[in-house]
Amino acid sequence: MYQMNPPQPPAAMPPQQTPRDRKRLSVPQIMLIVLTLAFAAWYVITSLTPEPARFAKITTDTIGSRYTGDCLIVRDEVPYDAEGLSSVDYVAEEGTTVYRGATICNVYSSGFSTREMTTLQEYRDQIKEYQMKLLQSEITTDTWMEKLESEVMTRAREEREIIAGARGNMTNQEKLLTAAIQARQSYLREKYADDQRMTRLYDDEQSQLQRISSWTKQYVATGDKAVVSFYSDGFEYGLTTSNYDQFTPAEVRSMINGQKPKGEELAKGKTTIYRMIKDGRWYVLMLIRDSNWNPTEGAVYDLKLENFTDTTVQAEVLSFTRTGGELEVVLSVESSVEPVLYVRACTGILGDSVASLCVPARAIYTQDNMPGVVVVDGDYEWFIPVNVLDKRDNMVYIAAIQQGVLAEGQTVRLF
């Protein structure tokens, strides 16, 4: 007999487990991580960054006061003008030094016509053509003529080479070529002196030259030595070396702004054709923007003129005037006039320069409330008190309290 068991309920399923919450970092753990990262960053930076310099050399530089202002240039120059001219033939070269008697230029009056020059060229072309015809009809070889012709061709070839970039003086080369051509022409004139047609052509050329000269006035240098220039700004008539110190600051300001001085203006109908400038000394009328400065008459200062090419010269103070908030300083410069040959107004910096020892700012060490530097010589170091004269661009200008103990090139410790 089988015992029947009642049906049993199904076994209960184990409760489903939920994912465990992630474990959060504690505050001490976070601080430890931050410190570790900071240490790693510090180690990388310190290992890659070069160690700062520990020593430096004492150098020299200049310090001093600087005063900026506007400058008016006064040159020892004389303008030359002409009335009723039609054209100018410049003979002298621009900016060169000429001496007494040198031809400066030829000025053609208003009645002169370019047809006169055309006629002269026609006569010269006829002379050239007839000379070539005579030379071609020669039966025997003229060795002297061949030599002269070879000289002309050689000089012409040398000039072409200079134009193409070869080294040489073009001015001298042109003079050599001109001399060779003139020598050849002189020989031809002598060679065919008995030819009537050639003589007649020469006479026609000479007559035309005389006709042209009647319309021409030649200007020559009258001084012993001067620089010639064919450029003028009109100031040469009223601003001269005889009156430069008579202008007030207001008048100087007006001229710097472009207003020509009153008085000896260029007469109506005349044209400035050139000016002669004496070299070696010129003057500057400078309006200083710092009107509190009192310059010393007779003192020599550095003057830097700022224009197309900056020029630094030594300038002596002749006088100074302060009116209406403007300080006018009259300066004399004993130097070549070439850098300011074409400059009338520009900006300038006037100052006195004093040589001084110079060290980096890190070299200054204070001991017993006294600034100084620590000089290093091999294994020895010693402290030297100094006076700090100036500080500029992370550099310190110094002077030793005891003279002679510091010099350029010595090694100092940096702190």
Side-chain angles (χ1 to χ4, degrees), residues 198-229:
M198 180 62 70
T199 301
R200 187 173 64 255
L201 290 174
Y202 282 136
D203 291 342
D204 292 340
E205 179 192 28
Q206 189 62 33
S207 298
Q208 188 63 22
L209 285 172
Q210 293 176 354
R211 180 179 177 84
I212 291 174
S213 64
S214 65
W215 300 98
T216 307
K217 180 179 179 179
Q218 186 178 80
Y219 285 78
V220 298
T222 56
D224 293 333
K225 178 182 178 182
V227 178
V228 62
S229 175

Side-chain angles (χ1 to χ4, degrees), residues 79-129:
Y80 292 83
D81 50 55
E83 186 177 7
L85 59 87
S86 63
S87 61
V88 181
D89 178 22
Y90 299 107
V91 179
E93 294 186 20
E94 169 67 27
T96 58
T97 300
V98 295
Y99 298 86
R100 183 185 299 273
T103 302
I104 303 300
C105 61
N106 296 313
V107 177
Y108 298 95
S109 63
S110 57
F112 176 76
S113 173
T114 56
R115 289 178 297 180
E116 304 294 344
M117 297 298 296
T118 303
T119 301
L120 176 62
Q121 187 60 45
E122 290 176 353
Y123 286 144
R124 288 176 171 175
D125 290 342
Q126 293 177 22
I127 292 174
K128 178 182 177 181
E129 292 175 1

Side-chain angles (χ1 to χ4, degrees), residues 19-229:
R20 298 180 60 184
D21 295 334
R22 294 180 179 177
K23 188 175 182 180
R24 294 182 178 179
L25 296 176
S26 63
V27 174
Q29 290 175 322
I30 294 175
M31 294 180 63
L32 180 61
I33 293 174
V34 171
L35 291 175
T36 302
L37 293 175
F39 176 79
W42 171 83
Y43 178 79
V44 172
I45 293 175
T46 54
S47 61
L48 296 179
T49 303
E51 183 180 356
R54 299 173 56 194
F55 305 99
K57 295 288 186 180
I58 298 178
T59 59
T60 58
D61 201 352
T62 56
I63 59 173
S65 302
R66 296 288 186 271
Y67 304 96
T68 304
D70 299 316
C71 299
L72 184 70
I73 308 300
V74 183
R75 293 174 289 266
D76 188 358
E77 54 193 347
V78 177
Y80 292 83
D81 50 55
E83 186 177 7
L85 59 87
S86 63
S87 61
V88 181
D89 178 22
Y90 299 107
V91 179
E93 294 186 20
E94 169 67 27
T96 58
T97 300
V98 295
Y99 298 86
R100 183 185 299 273
T103 302
I104 303 300
C105 61
N106 296 313
V107 177
Y108 298 95
S109 63
S110 57
F112 176 76
S113 173
T114 56
R115 289 178 297 180
E116 304 294 344
M117 297 298 296
T118 303
T119 301
L120 176 62
Q121 187 60 45
E122 290 176 353
Y123 286 144
R124 288 176 171 175
D125 290 342
Q126 293 177 22
I127 292 174
K128 178 182 177 181
E129 292 175 1
Y130 191 57
Q131 285 176 344
M132 293 179 63
K133 182 179 179 180
L134 292 175
L135 289 172
Q136 291 173 358
S137 63
E138 291 285 340
I139 299 176
T140 59
T141 301
D142 188 337
T143 55
W144 186 251
M145 183 62 196
E146 289 182 348
K147 180 180 178 180
L148 293 174
E149 186 70 23
S150 176
E151 180 71 11
V152 172
M153 298 304 295
T154 299
R155 299 304 183 188
R157 183 175 62 254
E158 291 172 350
E159 185 166 334
R160 286 197 300 268
E161 291 174 352
I162 294 177
I163 295 174
R167 298 184 62 181
N169 189 307
M170 179 61 74
T171 301
N172 293 339
Q173 194 60 43
E174 289 179 350
K175 292 179 180 179
L176 293 174
L177 177 59
T178 301
I181 294 175
Q182 290 176 348
R184 183 181 62 181
Q185 284 300 111
S186 298
Y187 178 73
L188 288 173
R189 182 184 290 270
E190 181 181 352
K191 180 179 177 68
Y192 300 112
D194 296 334
D195 189 288
Q196 294 183 358
R197 182 181 175 185
M198 180 62 70
T199 301
R200 187 173 64 255
L201 290 174
Y202 282 136
D203 291 342
D204 292 340
E205 179 192 28
Q206 189 62 33
S207 298
Q208 188 63 22
L209 285 172
Q210 293 176 354
R211 180 179 177 84
I212 291 174
S213 64
S214 65
W215 300 98
T216 307
K217 180 179 179 179
Q218 186 178 80
Y219 285 78
V220 298
T222 56
D224 293 333
K225 178 182 178 182
V227 178
V228 62
S229 175

